[in-house]
Amino acid sequence: MCGVAGIRRFDGRPVDEEDLRAMMRVLAHRGPDDQGLAVRGPVGFGHVRLSIIDLAGSPQPMATPGGRHLLSFNGEIFNYRDLRRRSEHDFRTDGDTEVVLATVARRGPRGAGEFVGQFAFAHHDFGTDRTWLVRDRAGVLPLYYYVDGERLVFASEIKALLEVLGDKVRLDRDQVRSYLRARAVHAPATLFAGIAKVPPGHVVEVSGRGEVVVAPYWQLPSPEDVLDCTPAEAVDLVEEGLRSAVDASLVADVPVGAYLSGGVDSSLVVALAEAARRRAGSNEPIATFSAEFGDPRFDETEYSTLVSQMFGTDHHRVLIQPEDFRGSWEHLTWHRDAPVSEPADIAVAQLATAARQQVKVVLSGEGSDELFGGYPKYRYAGATALADRLPARARTIGARALERALPAGRGKLRIAVRALTGEPRTRMEDWFAPFTDYEIDALLGTSHRPAARTVGHRDPIDLMGRLDFDTWLPDNLLERGDRMSMASSLELRPPFLDHRLVELAYRLPSAVKVRQGQTKWVLKEVARRHLPGRVVDRPKVGFRVPLDTWFRGELQELARDLLSGSGSFVESLMDPAVVTALLDDHARGRRDEEIRIWTLLSLEMWGRRFFVGQHVGV
């Protein structure tokens, strides 16, 4: 994994090399092994490198022999050897970077459709005076940009753009509502006004006059494109697709490890990775890593230990404690470029720090739930349509009353009931919402409603999966995965997001994803061929952090001081009485408000770090 940065001026003036170097310094954690820059008049590209493939070669930025094409590339192309064999290009290096350069020089940015892997890159064609920013299909790797009348500035992380843009950047207040609804801001927007994300599977083309065109080069299969297969055939297809994806994700010139929670997803990835190692004749055990929280409700040690012993991995357990949150929250907010949206983010960062001491690359199970209907909410996707038979006002009043009456321990049921208070046009997006629209109205003192997105689908489960893949996965989970791993210079690879497996998953009938009330049925049937039943059939835990008790104990004073103390960033945006009531309800045990408190605290930390200039230092 690497970091890319660049400046393209539209007025013909040369790029200031020091601006480019400043951006690269900020990205140094993404590429501690090497760095380079190339400046040709009004075009300047920079690159920092974490060496994974062709360790001694493939310096970047890389240009074609005649100098017409220039590339700065972040990622790994798993099928690069096959593309080399089929190409007539006279390669000078042994890595995947030159394969990307040659392919895009020949086919343009849509050549990205030939790549299997995860990537984000910038390419400039001096012949046409056009710059292309391209991001992989699922959005595993990030790329941000800013365009005004003078220049295009782009980088792998927003903080690098801030080195050049300075005081031009302001808070985008309209996106605060988006953050409160989703704990993330959906592409192409960010919380920084004027700074955009390249959407997954898209090309951003910028002309020499600064004209911007954003277009997809890949999309999910059409809802009408459904495989005609039996459940047994679906299991075979998914097993073969996942095996191929895991095999591809092991392409590296350095050791590859894996996260192992003991859940179905990570355990199945480890099982298939170990099988691939044996086929390759390797005797080295895979290094695996799991997090522990000292709370029996979320303790998966029994299962991660079982799987580790079963496959002979070199297993490492990492204990996460409340003081880890106090000590790293601000630092990781800087890495995240956004509010640390999930409580698990900090735990993932601690896990990455431990993993980096052993390996440079880890595999994860990210993406499985979105592809195969794994979240508990998928059981109820169809049932929500029944709520629309009630008058909207009666439904909303009844659902709010029921949600308030539920005990603190019924978190999943509360989420489902709260989703019913939303409008039909946004309900599928509201299942993960920490705040409903009416709660955000109370916080912000406005009643603005975002426009609903239109997504083609064949049934409620298919719709929920497509929405999760388009928004929740790239803008929340994958951003988390990239930033928290790269904070320790660790490359994260999610085999489930191999685009070939993604395309297969969205062509499967929904009936093999949720079958007789069981979520993720087809994947669990694959897992039964490789794992013990006690691992496959145990209840889903997820990567949970015991914040409910921590916010009534070790972190209660921190939360209250930051959200209601002098100089609070959140207080400057929201009604302080509403915030205080939320804190009181949780402290007294009336309601479990851990996710909403976390959402506000993370926004507070982010605001102080990037706009108030007040380093918290907790």
Side-chain angles (χ1 to χ4, degrees):
M1 213 71 77
C2 308
V4 304
I7 303 170
R8 195 284 184 243
R9 299 196 63 91
F10 306 131
D11 55 11
R13 295 168 53 193
V15 168
D16 186 334
E17 285 193 18
E18 186 49 45
D19 283 346
L20 199 52
R21 292 185 187 279
M23 296 172 72
M24 293 163 60
R25 284 194 292 270
V26 172
L27 296 175
H29 56 281
R30 298 190 69 92
D33 295 335
D34 195 12
Q35 63 175 265
L37 62 83
V39 176
R40 289 174 55 184
V43 177
F45 279 17
H47 185 265
V48 295
R49 186 184 186 199
L50 179 66
S51 301
I52 304 295
I53 293 175
D54 191 18
L55 304 185
S58 300
Q60 292 195 54
M62 183 178 287
T64 50
R68 172 173 171 172
H69 298 275
L70 182 66
L71 174 76
S72 187
F73 162 64
N74 171 25
E76 309 293 349
I77 306 302
F78 301 143
N79 65 331
Y80 78 99
R81 292 190 181 99
D82 180 57
L83 293 175
R84 284 173 66 99
R85 284 191 294 269
R86 293 192 283 113
S87 174
E88 297 179 358
H89 183 81
D90 184 15
F91 288 97
R92 300 163 292 162
T93 63
D94 295 325
D96 55 350
T97 300
E98 192 174 5
V99 172
V100 174
L101 177 62
T103 302
V104 178
R106 174 174 54 88
R107 290 198 54 202
R110 293 187 177 274
E114 296 187 24
F115 304 149
V116 175
Q118 52 196 58
F119 50 86
F121 62 84
H123 181 282
H124 186 78
D125 182 344
F126 286 94
T128 62
D129 200 23
R130 292 185 177 275
T131 304
W132 299 317
L133 307 178
V134 184
R135 193 173 174 205
D136 66 59
R137 300 166 181 87
V140 177
L141 297 185
L143 192 54
Y144 298 87
Y145 66 99
Y146 173 94
V147 180
D148 60 19
E150 298 178 355
R151 59 191 170 175
L152 160 71
V153 187
F154 64 85
S156 295
E157 298 182 7
I158 289 175
K159 67 182 70 66
L161 302 181
L162 302 182
E163 289 294 303
V164 176
L165 302 179
D167 294 340
K168 285 191 173 184
V169 178
R170 296 285 185 270
L171 170 69
D172 188 339
R173 286 179 173 262
D174 289 341
Q175 297 305 324
V176 172
R177 174 176 285 270
S178 298
Y179 166 74
L180 293 175
R181 290 187 74 243
R183 283 176 274 166
V185 176
H186 301 322
T190 71
L191 279 168
F192 295 89
I195 294 179
K197 304 176 195 178
V198 178
H202 279 66
V203 175
V204 175
E205 181 178 301
V206 184
S207 74
R209 296 188 297 273
E211 300 160 328
V212 179
V213 176
V214 182
Y217 68 86
W218 177 87
Q219 293 175 305
L220 287 176
S222 165
E224 289 73 36
D225 184 8
V226 185
L227 283 172
D228 182 11
C229 61
T230 67
E233 290 169 339
V235 174
D236 290 340
L237 288 169
V238 171
E239 181 178 38
E240 181 54 37
L242 183 57
R243 179 183 286 113
S244 176
V246 171
D247 287 353
S249 69
L250 292 172
V251 172
D253 295 331
V254 297
V256 178
Y259 289 149
L260 177 59
S261 69
V264 171
D265 305 334
S266 63
S267 298
L268 185 52
V269 167
V270 167
L272 294 176
E274 177 57 29
R277 294 273 188 154
R278 289 197 302 269
R279 291 197 304 272
S282 173
N283 295 320
E284 289 295 320
I286 297 173
T288 55
F289 308 88
S290 66
E292 301 174 16
F293 302 100
D295 189 316
R297 295 173 301 168
F298 313 128
D299 186 6
E300 299 184 277
T301 304
E302 172 189 351
Y303 303 101
S304 60
T305 300
L306 171 64
V307 175
S308 172
Q309 292 174 346
M310 183 176 179
F311 296 107
T313 75
D314 177 18
H315 194 57
H316 305 263
R317 294 157 56 178
V318 182
L319 179 63
I320 312 297
Q321 299 177 313
E323 51 264 34
D324 296 321
F325 282 65
R326 286 192 292 266
S328 59
W329 205 339
E330 183 190 7
H331 170 66
L332 293 177
T333 297
W334 180 83
H335 275 287
R336 186 71 164 80
D337 288 332
V340 178
S341 57
E342 295 294 315
D345 288 16
I346 291 177
V348 170
Q350 296 289 104
L351 203 57
T353 299
R356 185 61 177 87
Q357 297 173 20
Q358 308 293 324
V359 296
K360 273 189 173 183
V361 180
V362 290
L363 308 185
S364 81
E366 210 73 88
S368 168
D369 289 317
E370 291 77 12
L371 267 60
F372 298 107
Y375 296 118
K377 67 177 185 173
Y378 282 89
R379 289 194 192 99
Y380 312 110
T384 59
L386 299 176
D388 295 334
R389 298 181 181 179
L390 296 173
R393 179 173 175 78
R395 183 187 69 243
T396 300
I397 292 174
R400 290 183 191 178
L402 176 58
E403 189 263 335
R404 284 194 295 268
L406 287 171
R410 301 302 302 275
K412 291 179 181 177
L413 183 55
R414 286 185 66 201
I415 291 172
V417 171
R418 288 174 62 226
L420 295 180
T421 67
E423 299 177 39
R425 66 194 181 92
T426 61
R427 183 172 299 135
M428 289 299 189
E429 298 180 75
D430 288 345
W431 282 84
F432 287 136
F435 296 94
T436 61
D437 278 328
Y438 71 85
E439 291 167 333
I440 297 173
D441 291 346
L443 280 168
L444 300 180
T446 66
S447 58
H448 170 71
R449 290 290 186 273
R453 294 185 306 118
T454 300
V455 177
H457 61 281
R458 58 179 176 267
D459 56 54
I461 291 173
D462 184 56
L463 172 59
M464 189 173 278
R466 289 171 184 271
L467 287 170
D468 283 347
F469 184 85
D470 286 346
T471 55
W472 173 257
L473 181 65
D475 296 317
N476 189 334
L477 301 185
L478 293 180
E479 278 196 24
R480 179 265 300 279
D482 175 80
R483 299 307 194 288
M484 298 302 100
S485 58
M486 289 310 299
S488 294
S489 304
L490 179 75
E491 178 173 308
L492 186 70
R493 295 182 180 179
F496 281 104
L497 296 179
D498 183 304
H499 78 276
R500 300 165 299 182
L501 183 59
V502 170
E503 291 172 353
L504 169 63
Y506 285 97
R507 294 181 65 213
L508 291 175
S510 295
V512 302
K513 296 183 180 182
V514 180
R515 186 173 175 83
Q516 297 178 339
Q518 183 183 66
T519 57
K520 207 153 53 178
W521 178 86
V522 67
L523 190 70
K524 288 180 180 178
E525 292 303 301
V526 173
R528 291 186 200 285
R529 299 175 176 180
H530 302 272
L531 300 168
R534 58 192 289 205
V535 172
V536 177
D537 295 323
R538 72 187 185 92
K540 181 178 177 61
V541 175
F543 204 37
R544 291 291 307 280
V545 178
L547 278 182
D548 54 345
T549 56
W550 290 0
F551 279 147
R552 294 188 183 102
E554 297 95 326
L555 299 181
Q556 180 180 171
E557 184 178 348
L558 170 69
R560 196 170 293 275
D561 287 348
L562 290 178
L563 293 178
S564 58
S566 175
S568 168
F569 177 76
V570 162
E571 191 174 76
S572 71
L573 299 173
M574 302 176 194
D575 186 333
V578 178
V579 175
T580 299
L582 185 148
L583 293 169
D584 289 343
D585 282 348
H586 185 83
R588 294 168 184 167
R590 289 200 294 259
R591 294 157 64 94
D592 184 356
E593 302 288 14
E594 59 173 291
I595 292 301
R596 291 194 261 199
I597 293 173
W598 177 269
T599 300
L600 295 180
L601 273 175
S602 293
L603 182 64
E604 177 70 30
M605 287 291 202
W606 175 82
R608 293 188 183 209
R609 184 62 182 81
F610 286 97
F611 286 101
V612 178
Q614 177 180 351
H615 292 248
V616 183
V618 295

